[in-house]
């Protein structure tokens, strides 16, 4: 009787352990399937994102082909935000810019860069009122080429000089900047056959010199040359 009971207990114990092993295998398999499904979903989403990025990727134009040299600035007035805003305002006043970039959320100027030696001097606490230059980087080549026409633009009460760098040439399409001349934001440019008349200030002349004599002396000196 006791032997039968022991055999019965062993069978029950064995059956119980077998049931636990089967449950453990079942849960393990289910967790593995769930993990595989989650991993596959993550991989699929990553692939879709990569494919979308490839489709929307635009060719990258080097910075050297999108920036211009701007000289004639004073160190005390060479504020990056102010320089960028001056160029942005000039471009946004152009009908041609609104036509081509009216949908663009970015500003024309991407960034303003100081030369390396200016950065070093600024870090050393540079002081003084002296002329410097900067590089202005635009969002594309069309705006950079157009900026080459903006020599004479007033920034911080000074007329700046805009020149090309080694990476950009003046050849190619540009926006029409003539409206800026009409708005007096750029110097006037004489048309073919136009004679520009300028008033020149002369100082330090004696009071006894009358206008007619001054005109005669001036005309005579020019005639000699």
């Amino acid at each position: 009787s006791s032997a039968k009971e022991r055999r019965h207990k062993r069978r029950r114990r064995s059956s119980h352990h077998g049931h636990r092993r089967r449950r453990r295998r079942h849960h393990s398999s289910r967790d593995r399937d769930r993990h595989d499904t989650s991993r596959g979903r993550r991989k699929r989403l990553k692939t879709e994102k990569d494919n979308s990025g490839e489709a929307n990727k635009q060719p990258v134009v080097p910075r050297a082909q999108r920036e211009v040299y701007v000289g004639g600035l004073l160190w005390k007035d060479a504020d990056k935000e102010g320089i960028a805003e001056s160029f942005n305002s000039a471009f946004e006043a152009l009908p041609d810019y609104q036509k081509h970039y009216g949908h663009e959320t970015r500003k024309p100027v991407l960034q303003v860069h100081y030369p390396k030696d200016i950065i070093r001097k600024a870090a050393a606490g540079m002081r003084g009122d002296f002329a410097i230059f900067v590089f202005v980087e635009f969002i594309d080549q069309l705006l950079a080429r157009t900026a080459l026409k903006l020599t004479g633009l007033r920034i911080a009460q000074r007329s700046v000089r805009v020149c090309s760098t080694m990476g950009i040439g003046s050849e190619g399409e540009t926006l029409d900047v003539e409206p800026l001349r009409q708005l007096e934001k750029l110097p006037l440019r004489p048309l073919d056959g136009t004679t520009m008349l300028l008033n020149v200030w002369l100082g330090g002349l004696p009071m006894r010199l009358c206008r007619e004599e001054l005109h005669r002396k001036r005309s005579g000196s020019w005639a000699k040359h």
Side-chain angles (χ1 to χ4, degrees):
S1 174
S2 78
K4 287 183 180 180
E5 288 179 358
R6 284 197 298 271
R7 284 197 300 271
H8 182 63
K9 286 181 180 179
R10 280 199 298 270
R11 281 198 296 269
R12 288 183 59 188
R13 196 181 302 120
S14 175
S15 175
H16 177 68
H17 289 320
H19 179 65
R20 291 183 62 184
R21 282 194 297 270
R22 284 194 298 273
R23 287 188 59 188
R24 199 178 302 122
R25 282 197 300 267
H26 173 70
H27 287 298
S28 176
S29 175
R30 186 175 60 185
D31 293 342
R32 186 168 57 252
D33 291 343
R34 185 185 300 117
H35 177 70
D36 291 343
T37 302
S38 177
R39 183 169 56 185
R41 183 164 54 250
R42 288 197 300 270
K43 185 176 181 180
R44 186 175 66 254
L45 290 174
K46 184 178 183 301
T47 303
E48 290 174 356
K49 182 178 180 181
D50 292 344
N51 292 339
S52 175
E54 289 292 333
N56 296 328
K57 188 178 294 184
Q58 299 294 328
V60 178
V61 178
R63 168 187 152 188
Q65 298 179 19
R66 293 181 289 103
E67 73 176 4
V68 298
Y69 164 101
V70 179
L73 295 163
L74 292 179
W75 167 246
K76 68 181 182 67
D77 299 325
D79 175 64
K80 288 186 176 182
E81 289 75 16
I83 296 170
E85 184 55 34
S86 296
F87 278 99
N88 289 336
S89 299
F91 275 103
E92 290 169 354
L94 295 175
D96 233 8
Y97 176 83
Q98 298 300 332
K99 177 182 176 182
H100 288 80
Y101 297 88
H103 63 283
E104 181 64 61
T105 56
R106 295 178 297 173
K107 295 288 187 179
V109 175
L110 190 61
Q111 198 168 355
V112 176
H113 304 275
Y114 290 133
K116 291 182 179 179
D117 61 328
I118 297 295
I119 295 175
R120 287 195 296 269
K121 291 177 180 179
M126 177 174 57
R127 296 289 185 273
D129 189 11
F130 48 88
I132 71 163
F133 65 90
V134 298
F135 296 103
V136 179
E137 179 185 357
F138 294 89
I139 60 176
D140 63 24
Q141 292 173 294
L142 174 59
L143 296 181
R145 284 195 300 268
T146 302
L148 296 177
K149 295 184 172 184
L150 300 185
T151 286
L153 182 69
R154 302 286 289 180
I155 299 179
Q157 305 304 315
R158 292 180 66 86
S159 295
V160 299
R161 184 175 67 261
V162 184
C163 303
S164 63
T165 59
M166 295 180 62
I168 183 175
S170 56
E171 303 269 335
E173 180 188 4
T174 62
L175 302 180
D176 180 17
V177 300
E178 288 304 315
L180 292 179
R181 302 188 194 282
Q182 298 170 10
L183 294 172
E184 299 184 354
K185 292 189 175 184
L186 287 180
L188 291 175
R189 184 180 63 183
L191 301 176
D192 294 338
T194 302
T195 301
M196 298 295 288
L197 301 177
L198 302 177
N199 292 323
V200 180
W201 181 84
L202 299 176
L205 298 175
M207 294 293 293
R208 58 184 174 78
L209 195 62
C210 66
R211 179 176 298 180
E212 290 76 8
E213 187 179 358
L214 174 61
H215 179 70
R216 181 174 53 80
K217 287 182 177 294
R218 187 174 57 186
S219 300
S221 64
W222 286 347
K224 291 178 183 179
H225 294 290

